[in-house]
């Protein structure tokens, strides 16, 4: 057990939080993360309706008696009102929000007694989340899979800056997949880490084996930034399809021309079939440190063993210096 402000806030054994994984953050993965001592997050965007999400929340509860939460990405193309309502109705203890400003939902979430955490790509947005009453914030650096923001600030700098300027606990995201990186995050002042890419190579995540095989062989250079042209920069798996999308954007393609590459339908087809000629998959640079498919329990045990080994090495180094 490693006790931090975040483990106490969420009543979990380890300061490890599963990232929001569109279409993949469902009961099988979420329950496994929570059972292993982390905080699993049901990803609201994985479901077509509130009712579907609620059913899977109940399924998660049948698989674990440990805390878990819901991740709600607030966008512009789809209202998330019903998913917020669903999380409140079934009394999920923790809600993570990301994307747009969570202000419209804060009063209802806090009134329901929920812990609310917002994911921010910059200190400016993190401070805004704190001012709204969030109990903690996630800051995601440039290395992260998904949306790193528009400022290209790495986790090494962003985490330290956020810790310095915020009074609520900071959770580090972007580049964290090993025990050594957990130790580094805590040394920077973070109270926990959020990992998404690490769990893509877990046995429990519902990702086609073909994709898992490709990711297992991927290196830290196998990601690419897309969607810059529409102000929604995303780091994704560097497939031929994703590179074609990037080339179209560089040539000044319209939104209508790039939409088939980034549509929800294309992404769902990729997750269903494993076909990398459709859709784009969010992926962080830390994929280069992952080369095995393991159960979530094995992954978290390995992370914490690695954490303790690295900590012992530092203690021994300090003793040697003295």
């Amino acid at each position: 057990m490693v006790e931090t402000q975040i483990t106490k806030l969420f009543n979990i054994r380890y300061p490890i939080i599963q990232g929001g994984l569109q279409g993949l953050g469902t009961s099988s993965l979420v329950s496994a993360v929570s059972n292993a001592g982390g905080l699993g997050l049901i990803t609201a965007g994985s479901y077509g309706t509130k009712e579907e999400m609620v059913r899977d929340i109940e399924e998660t509860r049948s698989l674990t008696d440990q805390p878990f939460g819901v991740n709600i990405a607030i966008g512009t193309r789809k209202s998330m009102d019903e998913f917020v309502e669903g999380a409140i109705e079934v009394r999920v203890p923790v809600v993570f929000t990301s994307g747009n400003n969570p202000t419209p939902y804060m009063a209802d979430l806090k009134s329901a007694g929920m812990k609310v955490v917002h994911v921010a790509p910059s200190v400016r947005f993190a401070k805004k989340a704190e001012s709204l009453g969030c109990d903690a914030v996630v800051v995601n650096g440039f290395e992260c899979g998904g949306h790193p923001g528009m400022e290209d600030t790495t986790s090494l700098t962003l985490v330290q800056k956020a810790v310095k300027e915020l009074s609520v606990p900071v959770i580090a995201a972007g580049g964290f997949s090993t025990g050594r990186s957990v130790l580094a995050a805590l040394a920077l002042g973070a109270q926990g880490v959020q990992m998404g890419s690490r769990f893509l190579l877990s046995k429990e995540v519902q990702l086609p084996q073909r994709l898992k095989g490709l990711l297992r062989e991927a290196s830290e250079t196998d990601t690419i930034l897309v969607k810059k042209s529409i102000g929604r920069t995303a780091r994704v798996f560097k497939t031929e399809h994703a590179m074609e999308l990037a080339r179209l954007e560089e040539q000044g393609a319209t939104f209508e021309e790039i939409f088939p590459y980034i549509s929800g339908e294309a992404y769902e087809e990729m997750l269903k079939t494993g076909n990398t000629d459709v859709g784009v998959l969010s992926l962080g640079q830390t994929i280069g440190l992952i080369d095995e498919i393991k159960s979530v329990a094995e992954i978290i045990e390995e992370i914490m063993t690695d954490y303790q080994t690295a900590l012992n090495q530092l203690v021994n180094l300090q003793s040697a210096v003295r």
Side-chain angles (χ1 to χ4, degrees):
M1 182 172 180
V2 176
E3 188 172 88
T4 70
Q5 292 178 51
I6 285 298
T7 62
K8 290 188 283 187
L9 183 65
F10 300 143
N11 192 29
I12 55 179
R13 296 198 302 278
Y14 304 125
I16 297 174
I17 298 155
Q18 167 228 318
L21 298 171
Q22 183 85 356
L24 302 170
T26 57
S27 55
S28 59
L29 175 62
V30 174
S31 60
V33 172
S34 291
N35 281 331
L39 184 74
L41 294 179
I42 288 282
T43 305
S46 302
Y47 311 95
T49 65
K50 174 183 77 173
E51 290 73 23
E52 290 177 9
M53 182 187 75
V54 167
R55 283 195 295 271
D56 208 33
I57 288 174
E58 296 302 341
E59 175 64 15
T60 305
R61 283 179 168 154
S62 75
L63 296 171
T64 184
D65 60 359
Q66 299 301 307
F68 66 92
V70 172
N71 176 284
I72 300 176
I74 306 168
T76 56
R77 287 190 285 172
K78 178 180 179 181
S79 171
M80 301 306 289
D81 292 2
E82 65 171 312
F83 296 97
V84 173
E85 293 169 2
I88 292 173
E89 288 172 10
V90 295
R91 304 184 68 81
V92 174
V94 183
V95 168
F96 279 56
T97 60
S98 60
N100 289 354
N101 192 320
T103 296
Y105 304 115
M106 286 298 297
D108 289 340
L109 292 171
K110 299 301 289 185
S111 294
M114 293 178 167
K115 300 291 190 299
V116 182
V117 182
H118 189 65
V119 181
S122 70
V123 173
R124 177 167 63 93
F125 290 128
K127 291 174 73 172
K128 177 62 176 179
E130 179 182 47
S131 73
L132 295 176
C134 287
D135 298 279
V137 295
V138 177
V139 290
N140 52 323
F142 187 57
E143 307 95 322
C144 76
H147 300 289
M150 304 297 288
E151 297 177 358
D152 298 358
T153 307
T154 66
S155 296
L156 184 62
T157 297
L158 184 60
V159 172
Q160 294 183 79
K161 183 78 169 178
V163 168
K164 183 179 179 180
E165 298 200 12
L166 298 172
S167 58
V168 296
V170 171
I171 300 165
F176 301 95
S177 66
T178 66
R180 291 175 184 273
S181 62
V182 173
L183 180 59
L186 298 187
L188 294 174
Q191 298 296 309
V193 300
Q194 187 169 49
M195 300 179 177
S197 298
R198 183 63 191 93
F199 293 116
L200 293 178
L201 286 177
S202 66
K203 293 180 179 178
E204 290 86 351
V205 77
Q206 301 299 305
L207 191 69
Q209 289 302 315
R210 180 176 183 274
L211 273 176
K212 286 185 181 181
L214 292 172
L215 293 177
R216 185 175 56 192
E217 301 301 321
S219 76
E220 66 277 8
T221 62
D222 286 324
T223 70
I224 187 172
L225 296 173
V226 297
K227 299 168 68 174
K228 293 181 182 179
S229 63
I230 58 173
R232 292 286 292 164
T233 301
R235 185 178 297 282
V236 303
F237 190 22
K238 192 176 183 180
T239 62
E240 287 294 332
H241 190 67
M243 289 191 287
E244 184 179 342
L245 168 59
R247 286 192 292 269
L248 282 174
E249 290 191 83
E250 290 174 0
Q251 294 165 9
T254 65
F255 177 77
E256 289 71 22
E257 289 172 320
I258 69 171
F259 181 72
Y261 292 80
I262 62 175
S263 72
E265 292 76 13
Y267 180 70
E268 290 172 8
E269 182 180 344
M270 179 183 60
L271 292 189
K272 183 177 180 179
T273 65
N275 180 7
T276 55
D277 291 330
V278 293
V280 290
L281 178 68
S282 293
L283 188 68
Q285 291 178 331
T286 195
I287 192 64
L289 298 174
I290 309 166
D291 56 12
E292 293 183 279
I293 299 172
K294 298 182 176 182
S295 71
V296 166
E298 290 172 323
I299 288 170
I300 291 184
E301 180 180 5
E302 180 182 83
I303 287 170
M304 297 316 300
T305 298
D306 184 38
Y307 166 90
Q308 191 60 54
T309 298
L311 179 59
N312 291 342
Q313 289 173 343
L314 286 179
V315 171
N316 292 337
L317 178 62
Q318 184 180 35
S319 298
V321 170
R322 287 178 180 173

